[in-house]
Amino acid sequence: MSSTQGVSAKEEIKRAADIVELISQYVQLKKRGRNFLGLCPFHSEKEPSFTVSPEKQMFHCFGCKKGGDIFAFWMAYHGTTFVEALKDLAERYNIPFDEARVGAREKRAALKRQQLLRVNEIAADYFFNALTQGHEGAKAREYLSTRQIPQGIVEDFRLGYSPNSWEGLTRSLEREGVDLSVAALAGLVVARKGGGYYDRFRGRLMFPILNVKGQVVGFGGRALGQEMPKYLNTSETPVFHKSEVLYGLHASHQAIRSSGRVVVVEGYMDMLSLWKHGFKEVVATLGTALTEQHVRKLKGYTSEIVVVFDSDEAGKKAVLGSLSVFLNHGMVGKAVVLPQGHDPDTFVNQEGVERFTSLVEAASPMFDFYIHKAMALGDGSEEKVRVLEEMLPALAQLRSYAMRALYVRRLSDAVGLREEVVWAELKEYQKRSRGRSGASPRLTEKLSGARVSKKYNRDIHFLNLIVHHEEARQRLADTDWTLLLSDPVMQRLAKVLMDRGRSNDVDMDTVLESIQDPEVEKELREIMVMPSFYGPDAVETAIGEFEQKIEEIKLAALIREARERGDMVALNEALKMRARLQAPNQTNS
Ligand SMILES: [Zn+2]
C-alpha cells in the first residue's frame, strides 16, 4: 500500500518521472529553445513537429495533434490502456500502485489484454518445451540445425514447436486454468461447431512475436512440411496488429539506435540469420510489405531504413510501393536487392556477413533503384511514358516544393523527358486526384505553413496572450472578446479560460484536465507548449491592440446597421468614432 496519503500513484509518478528522459528512449529528440523536438512517432512527417516541453512535462505534436502527459505518451506509443500505463510507469519509477481506484471500463480492457498476454505466455512456454524437450519436436530441431540456428537464438527468441495434434495446446491451457474463449480470442485455439476447441497451430515451427516490452503479443508458425499456408500468423487481436508489428524489434532496438540504421527483411528466418551472424540492426515484417505504421515505429529509432528485397520478387512494383511509404514520411528509404536466387538467409549463410554489410552500405535510394530497374526494361517512348505515369503518385505526395522540383529534375534526366513535360503531367495528375482529398488544413498546419489566414492568426495570438499572461486574461475578460475569434474551437477554449480567468492564479494543468472536449484540449495543449509570443514589454501593447480591435469590430457593425437603416446621423457619428479610434495620436475629445 502507498504510504503517501492523499497523493495518487499518478501524481507520484508525475513527480518522479521526467518526460524528456522517458520519451527520448523512444524518439530521437533535439533541444530547440525551451523545448525538445523530434519526428513524430504517431504520424508521417519530415520536418519535426513533435514537441516535448520539460517545463510543462507535456508533449504535443503540431502535425497530428497527439499530445498529453507521460501517461498519454505511454498509452499511445505502447498501445496500452491508462491502467496499464499507470502500472508500467509505477513499476519503472518504483512507485507503489493501488489498482483499486481505476475505472471499471479501463479495468476490463486492461484485464482482457492481460489475459491475452498470459495465454500467449503460457502458449510460448508450451511450444518452447515441445521444441526443446518433446520427442515430437525432433523434426523442428532438425530443421533448425539445417538452417544453422544455434541454441542461444532458440532461447533468446523463445522459438517453439506446435505438436501435430488437435488438442495438445488446448489441454495444456485447460490444465493452467485458462478460459479457452480467451485462447480463441488470442488466435491460439479455434471453437468447434459442436462445442469445445482445437489447436490452431499444428506441426509448425513457432516464432513468438514480442513487443518492445518483451511481452508475447502473437505468433508466427512456419510449416515444416508441404502444408499450406507456409506461414500462419495470429489473427488480429487487441494486442496484435500485423501491419504494425516488427519481428525482432524487442531484441534489436538498441542496436538500431546505436548503429543509426535498420535493415528490414520480410521473414523470421531472414531476421534470425542476420542476427546470428552478428548483424543486429534488423527487423522483419511478418511477410508483408512495409507499411506506414512500420515506418512510423522505426522512425523513433533511426532515420535510415534499408529494405532488403529478394531478388526473385524484387519487382519494381514492390519498391515503388515502399517508395511512396517513405516519401509520405519524408524519408529516403533505401533498397538492397540480393543476387538472383537469394534471400537474406541464404545470402548471409553462403556469402558471409561482410558481403551483406557492404550491400547495405552501398544501398541506393529507392528512387534511383526504381528508375534503374524500370529503364532496364527498355527506353523507348512507351516505356518512358509508363515510368512517368507510375512515378506521378509518388511525386505528387511530396509536400515540399523544393523536393518535388528535385525529383522532377531527376526523373526527367533519368527518363529523358523535358522537365516541362513532367511538370505538366504532374499538375494534370494532381488536378485529377485533388477532388478526392480536399480536406481543409487544420489550424496548426496553417500556422506552420506560409499562408496563415488572418482570422486564425488573430485567434491564435489572442489565445496565446491569455494563456501565458494572467493580467491579459483578467483585463480582457470583461470586454466583448468573443468578437475577436472566428474558430469555434478557439471560442470554446477562450470561454473556458475566461470563465476562470477572473480569479487569480489559474492553474493551466487543472484547466487542461477539466476540459471534456478533446478538440478544445488539443488546442489548449498546443498553446501551452508553444512559448508566449509576447515578451514582458509587449503584453500591455497587445492588450491595448485587442481592446482597440474589439471597438473597431463593434463600430463596423454599427456602421453597417446604420447604412442598412439609412440612418445618416448615426452613420456619420459612427464614422467619426472610427476615424478617432484609428488615429491614436489625436485627442479623444
Ligand atoms: Zn504527430
mmCIF file of all heavy atoms in Angstrom, residues 39-45 49-50 60-66, ligand 1:
data_model
loop_
_atom_site.group_PDB
_atom_site.id
_atom_site.type_symbol
_atom_site.label_atom_id
_atom_site.label_comp_id
_atom_site.label_asym_id
_atom_site.label_seq_id
_atom_site.Cartn_x
_atom_site.Cartn_y
_atom_site.Cartn_z
ATOM 1 N N LEU A 39 10.940 13.736 -34.702
ATOM 2 C CA LEU A 39 9.965 13.308 -35.701
ATOM 3 C C LEU A 39 8.864 12.539 -34.991
ATOM 4 O O LEU A 39 9.121 11.652 -34.184
ATOM 5 C CB LEU A 39 10.631 12.439 -36.771
ATOM 6 C CG LEU A 39 11.591 13.188 -37.690
ATOM 7 C CD1 LEU A 39 12.344 12.210 -38.575
ATOM 8 C CD2 LEU A 39 10.852 14.221 -38.527
ATOM 9 N N CYS A 40 7.655 12.889 -35.285
ATOM 10 C CA CYS A 40 6.511 12.336 -34.564
ATOM 11 C C CYS A 40 6.376 10.828 -34.809
ATOM 12 O O CYS A 40 6.385 10.385 -35.949
ATOM 13 C CB CYS A 40 5.239 13.039 -35.014
ATOM 14 S SG CYS A 40 3.781 12.426 -34.178
ATOM 15 N N PRO A 41 6.268 10.042 -33.739
ATOM 16 C CA PRO A 41 6.069 8.607 -33.943
ATOM 17 C C PRO A 41 4.613 8.255 -34.274
ATOM 18 O O PRO A 41 4.314 7.106 -34.535
ATOM 19 C CB PRO A 41 6.467 8.009 -32.589
ATOM 20 C CG PRO A 41 6.219 9.081 -31.602
ATOM 21 C CD PRO A 41 6.406 10.391 -32.320
ATOM 22 N N PHE A 42 3.747 9.245 -34.284
ATOM 23 C CA PHE A 42 2.322 8.939 -34.465
ATOM 24 C C PHE A 42 1.772 9.378 -35.820
ATOM 25 O O PHE A 42 0.649 9.082 -36.156
ATOM 26 C CB PHE A 42 1.490 9.588 -33.353
ATOM 27 C CG PHE A 42 1.962 9.208 -31.976
ATOM 28 C CD1 PHE A 42 2.431 10.155 -31.099
ATOM 29 C CD2 PHE A 42 1.945 7.872 -31.583
ATOM 30 C CE1 PHE A 42 2.869 9.802 -29.832
ATOM 31 C CE2 PHE A 42 2.389 7.509 -30.329
ATOM 32 C CZ PHE A 42 2.854 8.469 -29.450
ATOM 33 N N HIS A 43 2.513 10.144 -36.585
ATOM 34 C CA HIS A 43 2.026 10.478 -37.914
ATOM 35 C C HIS A 43 3.229 10.692 -38.826
ATOM 36 O O HIS A 43 4.366 10.699 -38.390
ATOM 37 C CB HIS A 43 1.114 11.711 -37.875
ATOM 38 C CG HIS A 43 1.840 13.015 -38.041
ATOM 39 N ND1 HIS A 43 2.569 13.579 -37.021
ATOM 40 C CD2 HIS A 43 1.976 13.834 -39.101
ATOM 41 C CE1 HIS A 43 3.109 14.714 -37.448
ATOM 42 N NE2 HIS A 43 2.769 14.886 -38.711
ATOM 43 N N SER A 44 2.938 10.834 -40.102
ATOM 44 C CA SER A 44 4.021 10.961 -41.063
ATOM 45 C C SER A 44 4.444 12.403 -41.205
ATOM 46 O O SER A 44 3.615 13.271 -41.446
ATOM 47 C CB SER A 44 3.541 10.443 -42.414
ATOM 48 O OG SER A 44 2.259 10.959 -42.684
ATOM 49 N N GLU A 45 5.724 12.627 -41.081
ATOM 50 C CA GLU A 45 6.226 13.971 -41.285
ATOM 51 C C GLU A 45 7.712 13.927 -41.572
ATOM 52 O O GLU A 45 8.390 12.963 -41.239
ATOM 53 C CB GLU A 45 5.978 14.845 -40.049
ATOM 54 C CG GLU A 45 6.697 14.347 -38.792
ATOM 55 C CD GLU A 45 6.510 15.293 -37.614
ATOM 56 O OE1 GLU A 45 5.663 16.191 -37.720
ATOM 57 O OE2 GLU A 45 7.218 15.139 -36.622
ATOM 58 N N SER A 49 7.786 18.075 -35.832
ATOM 59 C CA SER A 49 6.824 18.943 -35.159
ATOM 60 C C SER A 49 6.350 18.319 -33.852
ATOM 61 O O SER A 49 5.464 18.821 -33.198
ATOM 62 C CB SER A 49 5.635 19.243 -36.073
ATOM 63 O OG SER A 49 5.104 18.067 -36.600
ATOM 64 N N PHE A 50 6.990 17.215 -33.498
ATOM 65 C CA PHE A 50 6.692 16.538 -32.245
ATOM 66 C C PHE A 50 7.506 17.246 -31.155
ATOM 67 O O PHE A 50 8.729 17.239 -31.184
ATOM 68 C CB PHE A 50 7.094 15.070 -32.379
ATOM 69 C CG PHE A 50 6.844 14.250 -31.151
ATOM 70 C CD1 PHE A 50 5.580 13.756 -30.873
ATOM 71 C CD2 PHE A 50 7.884 13.948 -30.279
ATOM 72 C CE1 PHE A 50 5.355 12.976 -29.756
ATOM 73 C CE2 PHE A 50 7.665 13.171 -29.153
ATOM 74 C CZ PHE A 50 6.388 12.691 -28.896
ATOM 75 N N HIS A 60 3.478 17.433 -27.367
ATOM 76 C CA HIS A 60 2.418 17.805 -28.286
ATOM 77 C C HIS A 60 2.965 17.773 -29.696
ATOM 78 O O HIS A 60 4.062 18.268 -29.945
ATOM 79 C CB HIS A 60 1.890 19.205 -27.983
ATOM 80 C CG HIS A 60 0.768 19.604 -28.895
ATOM 81 N ND1 HIS A 60 -0.521 19.203 -28.676
ATOM 82 C CD2 HIS A 60 0.752 20.316 -30.042
ATOM 83 C CE1 HIS A 60 -1.298 19.667 -29.642
ATOM 84 N NE2 HIS A 60 -0.541 20.347 -30.487
ATOM 85 N N CYS A 61 2.216 17.158 -30.606
ATOM 86 C CA CYS A 61 2.640 17.172 -31.993
ATOM 87 C C CYS A 61 1.839 18.228 -32.730
ATOM 88 O O CYS A 61 0.617 18.175 -32.743
ATOM 89 C CB CYS A 61 2.436 15.813 -32.638
ATOM 90 S SG CYS A 61 2.775 15.869 -34.399
ATOM 91 N N PHE A 62 2.555 19.180 -33.336
ATOM 92 C CA PHE A 62 1.870 20.240 -34.059
ATOM 93 C C PHE A 62 1.334 19.755 -35.393
ATOM 94 O O PHE A 62 0.605 20.451 -36.074
ATOM 95 C CB PHE A 62 2.806 21.444 -34.255
ATOM 96 C CG PHE A 62 3.009 22.212 -32.978
ATOM 97 C CD1 PHE A 62 4.025 21.869 -32.101
ATOM 98 C CD2 PHE A 62 2.146 23.235 -32.640
ATOM 99 C CE1 PHE A 62 4.190 22.553 -30.917
ATOM 100 C CE2 PHE A 62 2.309 23.927 -31.450
ATOM 101 C CZ PHE A 62 3.322 23.583 -30.583
ATOM 102 N N GLY A 63 1.715 18.543 -35.773
ATOM 103 C CA GLY A 63 1.183 17.987 -37.014
ATOM 104 C C GLY A 63 -0.119 17.245 -36.781
ATOM 105 O O GLY A 63 -1.159 17.608 -37.305
ATOM 106 N N CYS A 64 -0.074 16.193 -35.958
ATOM 107 C CA CYS A 64 -1.258 15.346 -35.797
ATOM 108 C C CYS A 64 -2.025 15.647 -34.527
ATOM 109 O O CYS A 64 -3.068 15.052 -34.280
ATOM 110 C CB CYS A 64 -0.875 13.875 -35.838
ATOM 111 S SG CYS A 64 0.090 13.334 -34.399
ATOM 112 N N LYS A 65 -1.513 16.551 -33.711
ATOM 113 C CA LYS A 65 -2.221 16.997 -32.515
ATOM 114 C C LYS A 65 -2.250 15.974 -31.395
ATOM 115 O O LYS A 65 -2.981 16.156 -30.428
ATOM 116 C CB LYS A 65 -3.667 17.383 -32.854
ATOM 117 C CG LYS A 65 -3.774 18.436 -33.912
ATOM 118 C CD LYS A 65 -3.910 19.772 -33.256
ATOM 119 C CE LYS A 65 -4.189 20.828 -34.304
ATOM 120 N NZ LYS A 65 -4.629 22.050 -33.685
ATOM 121 N N LYS A 66 -1.548 14.894 -31.561
ATOM 122 C CA LYS A 66 -1.476 13.985 -30.415
ATOM 123 C C LYS A 66 -0.657 14.666 -29.339
ATOM 124 O O LYS A 66 0.298 15.379 -29.634
ATOM 125 C CB LYS A 66 -0.787 12.676 -30.836
ATOM 126 C CG LYS A 66 -1.771 11.566 -31.137
ATOM 127 C CD LYS A 66 -1.212 10.213 -30.710
ATOM 128 C CE LYS A 66 -2.334 9.203 -30.592
ATOM 129 N NZ LYS A 66 -2.852 8.714 -31.865
HETATM 130 ZN ZN ZN B 1 2.266 13.771 -34.969
#
